[in-house]
Amino acid sequence: MSAQREKASRLAAPDITAMKGKTPIVCLTAYTAPMAELLDPVCDILLVGDSVGMVVHGLDNTVGVTLEMMILHGQAVMRGSRRAMVVVDMPFGSYEGAPEHAYAAACRVMKETGAQGIKVESGPTIPATIAYLTQRGIPVMGHVGLRPQAALIDGPFKAKGRKEGERERVLQEACATAEAGAFAMVVEGVAEDLAREITHQIAIPTIGIGASPACDGQVLVAEDMLGLFDWAPKFVRRYADLRAEIGRAVEQYAADVRARRFPGEAETYFGKS
Ligand code: KIV
């Protein structure tokens, strides 16, 4: 009974949709159980982003990320969290074809992770897939603007929607995504005026990354805002400098081992004397 109550207290798609225009939505990426445990009490959504391929697995882009990787990281984040809605990214190649194939892949993610929703990047055929999935009970988050999975076609990660044709495309994709039944939408790498217009035009929350304060919520890659890398995009605010902190700790550990200061008495088991 208490386990049932605990499950019921998790945020889900309708809670997030209802936050539009009322409370700014807080979202961060999470890929592991310990990080999920740290972020869960303060986040509304934990996004198991396919950025895991670059952040954790050292890939150059997200194209090489597999469904199995997403499921494994989704399971870890579910184990480490209890309150936030967990959304798992569908990786490149798992949803862009026939809606039936997307449905099979999304069902695997939902059943094998227990997550509350999935995310797909936009494209001409994607609204039909979003409609197909949502009509069958799968909460879908859209993703418009800069599409990391399209890096090989769209070119290097650069803000989108500055040219007139591109602006129209992003706006149209956002409207189609909302009309197809998505419960919320990531808006990535667009200028403030376009983010404002999308947020104004659609009935579901926009969650911005590099898309100005005009969105209904914000998402960042947790490792970026914690300062784990020596470089971060302009839109990231670093709230910690973990890279320096970890560097200091590791150097101290190495010095202690080499000087035989570690382990000390406190870290040693002794037999009965
Ligand atoms: O994969 C990811 O982390 C994402 C965020 C950047 C929104 O899609």
Side-chain angles (χ1 to χ4, degrees), residues 27-31 47-55 62 70 89 119 121 141-143 146 148-149 186-188 207-209 219-222 224 235:
C27 178
L28 282 170
T29 59
Y31 318 121
L47 174 64
V48 187
D50 62 350
S51 52
V52 68
M54 300 167 79
V55 174
T62 56
M70 295 313 301
D89 245 341
K119 176 166 83 59
E121 292 185 9
M141 178 185 269
H143 183 148
L146 191 157
Q149 290 176 10
V186 166
V187 179
E188 178 164 359
I207 303 177
I209 175 162
V219 55
L220 284 176
V221 169
D224 279 343
F235 59 78

XYZ file of all heavy atoms in Angstrom, residues 27-31 47-55 62 70 89 119 121 141-143 146 148-149 186-188 207-209 219-222 224 235, ligand 1:
281
model
N 13.750 21.199 -15.427
C 14.141 19.921 -16.022
C 15.665 19.869 -16.142
O 16.302 20.873 -16.481
C 13.486 19.810 -17.404
S 13.898 18.313 -18.312
N 16.248 18.734 -15.814
C 17.676 18.489 -16.039
C 17.830 17.100 -16.632
O 16.966 16.231 -16.429
C 18.471 18.570 -14.723
C 18.779 19.968 -14.185
C 19.352 19.884 -12.778
C 19.754 20.725 -15.108
N 18.933 16.876 -17.315
C 19.205 15.514 -17.799
C 19.742 14.679 -16.641
O 20.377 15.193 -15.719
C 20.264 15.511 -18.920
O 21.465 16.094 -18.409
C 19.777 16.272 -20.140
N 19.476 13.378 -16.708
C 20.064 12.429 -15.750
C 20.261 11.121 -16.501
O 19.434 10.744 -17.334
C 19.148 12.225 -14.554
N 21.392 10.465 -16.210
C 21.678 9.202 -16.906
C 21.944 8.060 -15.934
O 22.015 6.909 -16.345
C 22.923 9.344 -17.801
C 23.007 10.630 -18.582
C 24.082 11.488 -18.430
C 22.009 10.973 -19.498
C 24.181 12.665 -19.154
C 22.106 12.151 -20.236
C 23.188 12.992 -20.052
O 23.276 14.157 -20.767
N 15.215 14.188 -17.598
C 15.275 13.767 -18.996
C 16.475 12.848 -19.194
O 17.624 13.263 -19.000
C 15.401 14.990 -19.914
C 15.626 14.669 -21.395
C 14.417 13.934 -21.984
C 15.911 15.928 -22.185
N 16.177 11.596 -19.554
C 17.256 10.674 -19.909
C 17.546 10.960 -21.379
O 17.001 10.324 -22.287
C 16.830 9.203 -19.680
C 18.019 8.272 -19.876
C 16.224 9.034 -18.294
N 18.351 11.991 -21.598
C 18.601 12.479 -22.957
C 19.559 11.560 -23.691
O 20.427 10.921 -23.082
N 19.423 11.550 -25.029
C 20.397 10.764 -25.797
C 21.751 11.488 -25.832
O 22.729 10.949 -26.339
C 19.879 10.441 -27.206
C 19.619 11.687 -28.041
O 19.664 12.800 -27.486
O 19.370 11.531 -29.250
N 21.809 12.683 -25.235
C 23.105 13.335 -25.010
C 24.006 12.439 -24.169
O 25.210 12.646 -24.112
C 22.903 14.692 -24.319
O 22.095 14.551 -23.165
N 23.433 11.409 -23.540
C 24.223 10.419 -22.798
C 25.336 9.851 -23.680
O 26.422 9.524 -23.194
C 23.314 9.277 -22.249
C 22.743 8.406 -23.362
C 24.059 8.419 -21.246
N 25.062 9.761 -24.986
C 26.064 9.211 -25.906
C 27.329 10.059 -25.921
O 28.447 9.533 -25.960
N 27.150 11.399 -25.867
C 28.307 12.295 -25.892
C 28.873 12.502 -24.483
O 30.068 12.490 -24.272
C 27.887 13.639 -26.504
C 27.358 13.488 -27.924
S 26.513 14.956 -28.538
C 27.903 15.999 -28.975
N 27.968 12.683 -23.521
C 28.392 13.064 -22.168
C 29.044 11.881 -21.430
O 30.064 12.036 -20.769
C 27.181 13.587 -21.361
C 27.553 13.855 -19.916
C 26.630 14.854 -22.003
N 24.943 12.275 -31.337
C 24.002 11.329 -30.718
C 23.540 10.221 -31.686
O 22.746 9.366 -31.295
C 22.756 12.083 -30.200
O 22.163 12.812 -31.278
C 23.113 13.036 -29.087
N 19.564 3.548 -24.161
C 18.543 4.403 -23.557
C 17.752 3.647 -22.488
O 17.409 4.200 -21.440
C 17.592 4.964 -24.622
C 18.246 5.901 -25.629
S 19.302 7.173 -24.915
C 18.183 8.049 -23.861
N 14.613 9.745 -23.995
C 14.760 10.084 -25.416
C 14.709 8.832 -26.281
O 15.336 7.814 -25.940
C 16.148 10.717 -25.626
C 16.070 12.161 -26.047
O 15.012 12.593 -26.526
O 17.093 12.853 -25.894
N 10.648 11.061 -25.549
C 10.827 12.303 -26.320
C 11.311 11.958 -27.726
O 12.120 11.039 -27.889
C 11.832 13.237 -25.640
C 12.130 14.498 -26.457
C 12.836 15.556 -25.646
C 14.326 15.386 -25.531
N 15.069 15.363 -26.815
N 12.561 13.913 -31.580
C 12.907 15.156 -32.273
C 11.992 15.339 -33.481
O 11.537 14.362 -34.084
C 14.385 15.124 -32.699
C 15.323 15.183 -31.513
C 16.794 15.274 -31.896
O 17.106 15.471 -33.090
O 17.629 15.145 -30.997
N 6.911 13.785 -25.546
C 7.432 15.158 -25.512
C 8.068 15.424 -26.884
O 8.812 14.570 -27.393
C 8.482 15.268 -24.395
C 9.153 16.615 -24.271
S 10.450 16.569 -23.015
C 9.515 17.066 -21.603
N 7.768 16.572 -27.477
C 8.383 16.922 -28.760
C 9.719 17.625 -28.541
O 10.123 17.896 -27.405
N 10.403 17.918 -29.638
C 11.708 18.598 -29.558
C 11.909 19.329 -30.888
O 12.095 18.680 -31.921
C 12.806 17.553 -29.325
C 14.180 18.132 -29.150
N 15.135 17.534 -28.339
C 14.775 19.231 -29.661
C 16.246 18.249 -28.380
N 16.056 19.278 -29.190
N 16.852 23.386 -32.846
C 18.073 22.635 -33.118
C 17.811 21.162 -32.784
O 17.340 20.849 -31.689
C 19.206 23.194 -32.267
C 20.614 22.730 -32.592
C 21.610 23.757 -32.089
C 20.951 21.374 -32.029
N 19.685 17.767 -32.393
C 21.013 17.151 -32.360
C 21.118 15.891 -33.228
O 22.165 15.614 -33.803
C 21.219 16.825 -30.874
C 20.375 17.823 -30.159
C 19.179 18.043 -31.033
N 20.018 15.125 -33.360
C 20.100 13.894 -34.158
C 20.221 14.187 -35.646
O 20.547 13.301 -36.427
C 18.871 13.020 -33.901
C 18.858 12.408 -32.511
C 17.594 11.613 -32.232
O 16.792 11.354 -33.110
N 17.424 11.219 -30.980
N 10.433 20.340 -25.967
C 11.733 21.000 -25.830
C 11.915 21.921 -27.024
O 11.637 21.538 -28.162
C 12.884 19.959 -25.770
C 14.237 20.630 -25.976
C 12.866 19.212 -24.447
N 12.341 23.154 -26.753
C 12.675 24.098 -27.821
C 14.166 24.389 -27.653
O 14.578 24.946 -26.641
C 11.845 25.397 -27.701
C 12.222 26.370 -28.815
C 10.353 25.089 -27.752
N 14.954 23.978 -28.645
C 16.414 24.076 -28.480
C 17.031 25.054 -29.479
O 16.715 25.027 -30.678
C 17.053 22.688 -28.671
C 18.583 22.738 -28.547
C 19.251 21.400 -28.337
O 18.554 20.377 -28.267
O 20.497 21.387 -28.244
N 9.822 23.903 -23.144
C 10.938 23.772 -22.199
C 12.198 24.108 -22.979
O 12.583 23.386 -23.902
C 10.978 22.354 -21.603
C 9.627 22.070 -20.923
C 12.133 22.221 -20.610
C 9.488 20.683 -20.354
N 12.800 25.234 -22.640
C 13.869 25.776 -23.479
C 15.250 25.295 -23.070
O 15.541 25.069 -21.895
N 16.097 25.152 -24.088
C 17.534 24.965 -23.861
C 18.211 25.849 -24.905
O 18.076 25.626 -26.106
C 17.972 23.480 -23.917
C 19.500 23.377 -23.802
C 17.453 22.744 -25.147
C 20.002 21.991 -23.418
N 15.613 23.457 -19.490
C 16.351 22.204 -19.318
C 17.811 22.469 -19.650
O 18.122 23.261 -20.529
C 15.783 21.065 -20.213
C 15.718 21.442 -21.675
C 16.591 19.768 -20.027
N 18.705 21.839 -18.894
C 20.133 21.860 -19.215
C 20.677 20.454 -19.035
O 20.097 19.640 -18.296
C 20.900 22.811 -18.282
C 20.770 24.320 -18.540
C 21.513 25.097 -17.448
C 21.317 24.711 -19.914
N 21.778 20.180 -19.692
C 22.516 18.948 -19.418
C 23.177 19.150 -18.055
O 23.919 20.121 -17.850
C 23.558 18.682 -20.533
C 24.505 17.557 -20.131
C 22.856 18.349 -21.852
N 22.883 18.260 -17.108
C 23.337 18.477 -15.724
C 24.853 18.645 -15.653
O 25.365 19.516 -14.941
C 22.874 17.308 -14.850
N 26.821 19.909 -17.772
C 27.218 21.245 -18.245
C 27.063 22.264 -17.128
O 27.951 23.066 -16.865
C 26.329 21.684 -19.424
C 26.772 21.069 -20.750
O 27.907 20.579 -20.836
O 25.956 21.091 -21.696
N 24.705 29.339 -23.782
C 23.452 29.379 -23.021
C 23.531 28.670 -21.659
O 22.579 28.704 -20.891
C 22.303 28.789 -23.849
C 22.514 27.354 -24.274
C 22.318 26.315 -23.380
C 22.910 27.049 -25.560
C 22.512 25.002 -23.764
C 23.103 25.735 -25.962
C 22.904 24.706 -25.049
O 19.530 14.686 -25.204
C 19.359 15.680 -24.496
O 20.011 15.877 -23.457
C 18.349 16.635 -24.891
C 18.361 17.952 -24.194
C 19.493 18.736 -24.693
C 17.072 18.650 -24.331
O 17.593 16.387 -25.782
